[in-house]
Amino acid sequence: VSTFAAQCLQYLPEDGQTKTAEITDENGERFLVRFYHVPTQSARISDIVTYCSVSPLYDWVNEAASRVLAISAVFVLGVALILHGAVRRVAKPLKRLSQGVEAIGSGSFIQLEPAFRVRELEDVRQATNEMSRRLQQAEQAQRDFLQNVSHELRNPLMSIGGYAQGIEHGVFSSPQEAAHTIVVESKRLTELVSSLLTLSRLENETAPHPLEAVRLTDPIQDTLDRISGTAMQRGVTLELAPFSKEIQVYGDEELICKVLENLLSNGIRYAASRVSISVSQETESVKIQVTDDGPGISAQDMPHIFERCYKGAGGHFGIGLAIAAASAAQMHGTLCAENAPEGGARFELQLRKPPQVSVLARGL
């Protein structure tokens, strides 16, 4: 104690203030020492010193710090391993997705297999496969379209060229007959090119037709007037079921005429004796049905009935119904086809009713 007391005297404050110090004795043991100055005059006591050994506390802190450091190192290592595994688990599927998308972009419409374990990546894989399938269908449709158009253009061109050469070289005894064939084929060629231009304009039009309220009686009557001559030549009767002349739709009169003209032309081509038109109203839409009494649509043709240049049995160019579908889409309507229960094909055009406009009372 005397040795320790001698060490304490070295830290004794001279100004008489309370002081705390940490002292290490000759054995290396640490003490926390507190000096208290006695304010009263006393011949024997001037300061009181209290002390406490803190070496066990330091030892415990050092040991705890070592353990915490070791546990932290193990924890960090475990987290690093988990993150590494998670990154690899995500990185490998992402690499597969990247390679698959790159292959699809280069024209190889593959399907990514097998399925991924991560749900989000599996959703991306399925969406990528669906995109690949649709791109493949679109490319095939484009190839078929170009092939069909080339075939349709080649036949009249070859016919026109052949008859023109025959006239030039004096092969035909009656040039009028050859000239008539050239006129017919030229008309057919003009009709095809005009249909292709119309379809291209409808499908790629950046500024769509302005839609407005249209009374159905006007486009229906105009179309019947234009198509009645063709019906008479084929011996087909056009029947229009009575409907209210006040029925209106939200659309474009020119587009409605295009739809009806192509539907009626198609019906006349396949009808045995009759093509009928009916109009019905629903809560928010109006339905226009065109029905013929022909053989109907085969199950093979039904999925492709509105595709460009797809011709069923007895088809013309395969453009008319595609124009009708594109025109309906321009008016935000729908066009569908089915076989009527009584026989024959039925096409249904559904258009929205004009939006209701509220009228404010005058004088407010």
Side-chain angles (χ1 to χ4, degrees), residues 113-186:
E113 299 293 344
F116 296 141
R117 295 181 180 180
V118 181
R119 186 185 64 182
E120 290 76 8
L121 293 177
E122 175 63 14
D123 293 340
V124 176
R125 185 190 71 86
Q126 293 180 2
T128 303
N129 287 343
E130 179 66 17
M131 177 188 67
S132 176
R133 185 183 64 81
R134 292 188 178 184
L135 286 174
Q136 186 175 15
Q137 291 178 349
E139 183 175 2
Q140 185 62 41
Q142 184 178 9
R143 291 177 180 176
D144 294 342
F145 176 72
L146 292 176
Q147 182 178 0
N148 293 334
V149 169
S150 301
H151 177 75
E152 293 294 340
L153 291 174
R154 181 183 61 183
N155 290 339
L157 287 175
M158 291 179 61
S159 179
I160 292 172
Y163 278 95
Q165 290 178 6
I167 294 175
E168 181 182 13
H169 294 90
V171 175
F172 300 105
S173 58
S174 176
Q176 289 79 10
E177 182 179 351
H180 175 72
T181 303
I182 292 176
V183 170
V184 172
E185 292 297 331
S186 298

Side-chain angles (χ1 to χ4, degrees), residues 31 45 49 60-61 66 227 272 292 307:
F31 294 89
I45 300 176
V49 180
W60 180 85
V61 170
S66 299
I227 210 74
D292 62 68
E307 291 181 5

Side-chain angles (χ1 to χ4, degrees), residues 200-221:
S200 177
R201 179 175 60 84
L202 288 172
E203 292 183 341
N204 301 288
E205 197 166 25
T206 56
H209 288 250
L211 303 182
E212 58 184 2
V214 178
R215 287 203 320 166
L216 272 182
T217 182
D218 297 329
I220 290 178
Q221 193 59 51

Side-chain angles (χ1 to χ4, degrees), residues 301-320:
D301 295 335
M302 184 65 76
H304 312 284
I305 195 70
F306 296 112
E307 291 181 5
R308 296 176 297 177
C309 288
Y310 182 84
K311 294 192 303 182
H316 196 191
F317 297 127
I319 302 293

Side-chain angles (χ1 to χ4, degrees), residues 210-248:
L211 303 182
E212 58 184 2
V214 178
R215 287 203 320 166
L216 272 182
T217 182
D218 297 329
I220 290 178
Q221 193 59 51
D222 290 345
T223 306
L224 288 175
D225 292 341
R226 289 199 299 268
I227 210 74
S228 58
T230 305
M232 291 178 60
Q233 292 178 358
R234 291 181 173 268
V236 176
T237 303
L238 298 178
E239 297 179 355
L240 176 61
F243 66 96
S244 174
K245 295 183 178 181
E246 303 302 322
I247 294 180
Q248 294 183 338

